[in-house]
């Protein structure tokens, strides 16, 4: 993370870059005179759906299946003749490309790019994935990608609920950490609940 921070800083040339006066997605949609934040929602939704469609199509290919196999079981993938190291590099490339795309969308929404924008995003992403899996289980790959999107929306709604309860602004980070911690503990809680159900059935 420290190394990437330095690289990003060198590429940006400054810690903060304003997009004022630059052509962005929002400026292109300005002629439509859409209500506030609707343009941001439209851009994010369209780009997300395009990414989901492209990823779904890619993972149905031979290379995509090899990437999935490597992620599931690296040793088994190697035994099947799959270049596991190459697949890992491909996975990193795809992941970082999507991250870069999300960075573009965030900068487009805010009207500026800041070096500290991505701090804490990994944890939020994990929480979104887990919430999505809780909402819908045992679904196809395209639907699983959609559930991650739904999970991120639910996570933001939970944070909005905290704001509506009129807690102090200084407590926001604390409640955010509590929500993330709870989301990350859901799989463990579900596992223990299932174990308890099994024990109860055996006793009966």
């Amino acid at each position: 993370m420290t190394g990437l921070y330095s690289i990003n800083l060198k590429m940006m040339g400054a810690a903060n870059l304003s997009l004022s006066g630059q052509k962005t997605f929002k400026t292109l949609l300005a002629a439509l005179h859409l209500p506030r934040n609707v343009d941001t929602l439209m851009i994010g939704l369209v780009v997300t759906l395009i990414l989901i469609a492209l990823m779904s199509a890619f993972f149905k290919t031979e290379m995509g299946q090899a990437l999935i196999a490597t992620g599931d079981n690296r040793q088994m993938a190697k035994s099947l003749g799959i270049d596991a190291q190459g697949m890992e590099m491909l996975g990193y490339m795809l992941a970082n490309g999507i991250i870069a795309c999300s960075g573009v969308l965030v900068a487009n929404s805010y009207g500026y790019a800041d070096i500290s924008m991505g701090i804490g995003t990994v944890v939020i992403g994990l929480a979104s994935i887990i919430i999505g899996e809780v909402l819908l289980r045992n679904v196809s790959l395209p639907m699983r990608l959609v559930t991650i999107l739904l999970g991120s929306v639910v996570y933001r709604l939970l944070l909005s609920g905290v704001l509506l309860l009129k807690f102090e602004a200084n407590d926001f980070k604390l409640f955010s950490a509590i929500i993330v911690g709870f989301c990350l503990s859901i799989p463990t809680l579900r596992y223990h609940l299932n174990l308890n159900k099994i024990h109860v059935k055996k006793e009966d």
Side-chain angles (χ1 to χ4, degrees), residues 8 21 24 29 39 47 55 76 103 109 111 131 133 140 149 161 187 195:
N8 290 337
T24 63
L29 292 176
D39 52 353
V47 173
M55 289 176 67
M76 181 63 72
S109 175
I131 293 173
E133 289 184 349
S140 61
L149 174 62
L195 282 181

Side-chain angles (χ1 to χ4, degrees), residues 118-192:
I119 295 176
T121 308
V122 174
V123 177
I124 296 172
L126 288 173
S128 301
I129 292 171
I130 293 172
I131 293 173
E133 289 184 349
V134 170
L135 293 175
L136 292 172
R137 301 171 60 187
N138 301 322
V139 294
S140 61
L141 179 60
M143 279 304 300
R144 185 172 295 178
L145 297 174
V146 173
T147 59
I148 296 172
L149 174 62
L150 294 176
S152 65
V153 173
V154 171
Y155 175 77
R156 289 298 178 183
L157 289 175
L158 291 173
L159 292 182
S160 299
V162 172
L163 292 177
L164 290 175
L165 294 175
K166 297 182 179 180
F167 286 99
E168 293 183 9
N170 294 332
D171 297 333
F172 184 75
K173 289 287 186 181
L174 174 61
F175 282 102
S176 176
I178 292 172
I179 292 172
V180 171
F182 175 74
C183 293
L184 295 177
S185 65
I186 287 175
T188 304
L189 293 173
R190 179 188 290 167
Y191 174 75
H192 287 295

Side-chain angles (χ1 to χ4, degrees), residues 43-171:
I43 294 168
L45 188 60
V46 169
V47 173
T48 302
L49 292 177
I50 291 173
L51 283 174
I52 289 174
L54 291 175
M55 289 176 67
S56 299
F58 170 73
F59 283 120
K60 290 179 181 178
T61 64
E62 184 176 344
M63 184 176 292
Q65 291 295 310
L67 183 59
I68 292 174
T70 304
D72 287 341
N73 192 322
R74 191 178 192 276
Q75 294 301 321
M76 181 63 72
K78 288 181 67 176
S79 67
L80 294 173
I82 297 173
D83 181 8
Q85 186 173 1
M87 289 297 105
E88 287 176 349
M89 291 300 297
L90 176 61
Y92 290 137
M93 290 167 60
L94 290 174
N96 281 284
I98 294 172
I99 291 169
C101 182
S102 67
V104 170
L105 293 177
V106 172
N108 178 85
S109 175
Y110 289 173
Y112 66 91
D114 190 89
I115 192 66
S116 61
M117 274 183 168
I119 295 176
T121 308
V122 174
V123 177
I124 296 172
L126 288 173
S128 301
I129 292 171
I130 293 172
I131 293 173
E133 289 184 349
V134 170
L135 293 175
L136 292 172
R137 301 171 60 187
N138 301 322
V139 294
S140 61
L141 179 60
M143 279 304 300
R144 185 172 295 178
L145 297 174
V146 173
T147 59
I148 296 172
L149 174 62
L150 294 176
S152 65
V153 173
V154 171
Y155 175 77
R156 289 298 178 183
L157 289 175
L158 291 173
L159 292 182
S160 299
V162 172
L163 292 177
L164 290 175
L165 294 175
K166 297 182 179 180
F167 286 99
E168 293 183 9
N170 294 332
D171 297 333

